[in-house]
Amino acid sequence: MSSSSSDPITTYGFTAVPASASALLTSTPAYPPPSTPAPFIPVSETPIPDTPLAKRIQAYAREHLPEPTYNHSLRVYHFGLAIKRYRFPFPSWAFTDETYFLACMLHDIGTTEENQRATRLSFEFQGGLLALEVLRRRPEAGETEMEADAVGAVGGIATREQTESVAEAIIRHQDLCEVGKITAVGQLLQLATIFDNTGTHADLVHPSTIEDVSKHFPRQKWSNCFAATIRRENSLKPWAHTTALGEEAFPNKVLGNKLMEPYE
Ligand code: ZN
């Protein structure tokens, strides 16, 4: 859904919504009503944005992320748009697919082995900072197109506000608060990542949608892979923000994801 509005708050997903997912889901005037089951929304109905910027960042993600993480990032995109269409079809949630896509592609960029060891920052914070850089990156003077391409600098450049919305969503994507507000695009990223990782709020996505998305972007034992990433982060950085989700409880929840078990 591309917004014709020039209001950056709406276009880039800065609309403030409750941070508590359960409060949001119970309070949102739902259309269609929540008693209507989630509709089947195949991957073909939530296409990847056909823009130079989306293409550049997708290529960057494909280049830098291990395949299971890249596939997870694409599932988060399609699950998120399915959730949005079902539960948040509101004008205030009409941020561009491109903004959400960029957030999905880069949200776990801080978990790569190289990036985890490059900094003492928690992975989401480093990911947000990397996003600020990569989304605004232009080829530098004296840099060949090939050199620029290697760091993702060829193609569309995000505006400052779009970049900041994406960075904010990445930094807060594991910040599951019960109090306060978050951006709409940040809330959708939280809902969709937690959905793919733990199966929470299973009723937000039709089982056939889960099947179709998992067929296009196979999990390749994602639960084991992500649980190992969580444990590596927490052992390299015992102060990491990921510990806020429970040092044992969170990886165990990921490993106990019953909803996605048939597709592991
Ligand atoms: Zn993730």
Side-chain angles (χ1 to χ4, degrees):
M1 183 190 314
S2 72
S3 174
S4 56
S5 158
S6 58
D7 173 13
I9 299 296
T10 310
T11 305
Y12 299 133
F14 282 108
T15 302
V17 303
S20 163
S22 48
L24 174 71
L25 290 167
T26 49
S27 72
T28 316
Y31 175 81
S35 53
T36 308
F40 170 40
I41 303 174
V43 166
S44 56
E45 285 183 30
T46 49
I48 289 166
D50 186 20
T51 64
L53 178 59
K55 286 194 169 103
R56 173 170 76 85
I57 298 304
Q58 184 178 10
Y60 179 87
R62 190 185 288 126
E63 165 87 24
H64 289 84
L65 296 173
E67 200 180 336
T69 314
Y70 177 69
N71 284 358
H72 158 69
S73 304
L74 284 162
R75 290 194 304 276
V76 166
Y77 174 72
H78 292 287
F79 285 149
L81 288 192
I83 292 169
K84 183 183 171 191
R85 196 198 289 183
Y86 172 42
R87 290 303 309 273
F88 312 113
F90 314 123
S92 60
W93 278 74
F95 50 81
T96 62
D97 289 353
E98 184 188 68
T99 302
Y100 181 60
F101 180 74
L102 302 174
C104 292
M105 283 292 100
L106 297 175
H107 84 281
D108 276 342
I109 197 74
T111 64
T112 65
E113 180 105 35
E114 190 190 353
N115 283 336
Q116 271 191 332
R117 292 182 187 279
T119 174
R120 306 230 184 256
L121 286 170
S122 295
F123 88 83
E124 314 95 299
F125 295 74
Q126 193 210 4
L129 295 176
L130 271 173
L132 288 177
E133 216 174 274
V134 171
L135 291 168
R136 301 282 283 159
R137 182 75 160 74
R138 296 166 195 278
E140 285 167 0
E143 200 171 51
T144 67
E145 181 134 322
M146 236 172 92
E147 285 165 344
D149 196 36
V151 291
V154 171
I157 301 293
T159 63
R160 180 181 60 79
E161 285 173 304
Q162 185 177 32
T163 300
E164 289 170 354
S165 176
V166 170
E168 172 111 359
I170 293 171
I171 289 167
R172 293 185 64 182
H173 86 269
Q174 292 203 114
D175 196 18
L176 309 181
C177 296
E178 280 307 308
V179 176
K181 300 278 177 62
I182 188 168
T183 67
V185 78
Q187 176 59 266
L188 192 65
L189 186 62
Q190 284 193 355
L191 280 169
T193 51
I194 291 298
F195 178 81
D196 192 55
N197 287 334
T198 68
T200 304
H201 300 301
D203 60 342
L204 289 176
V205 180
H206 191 282
S208 301
T209 307
I210 299 177
E211 193 184 333
D212 191 50
V213 170
S214 306
K215 203 167 72 193
H216 279 82
F217 310 106
R219 295 183 66 84
Q220 302 175 329
K221 305 208 182 307
W222 172 245
S223 296
N224 285 304
C225 176
F226 187 53
T229 300
I230 295 166
R231 293 196 198 279
R232 188 172 68 222
E233 164 94 349
N234 292 345
S235 91
L236 279 173
K237 300 166 193 170
W239 54 84
H241 180 259
T242 298
T243 58
L245 294 166
E247 282 172 76
E248 283 308 313
F250 186 45
N252 288 339
K253 208 169 175 185
V254 167
L255 291 171
N257 184 350
K258 287 274 166 286
L259 186 66
M260 302 300 174
E261 204 174 32
Y263 306 104
E264 275 302 298

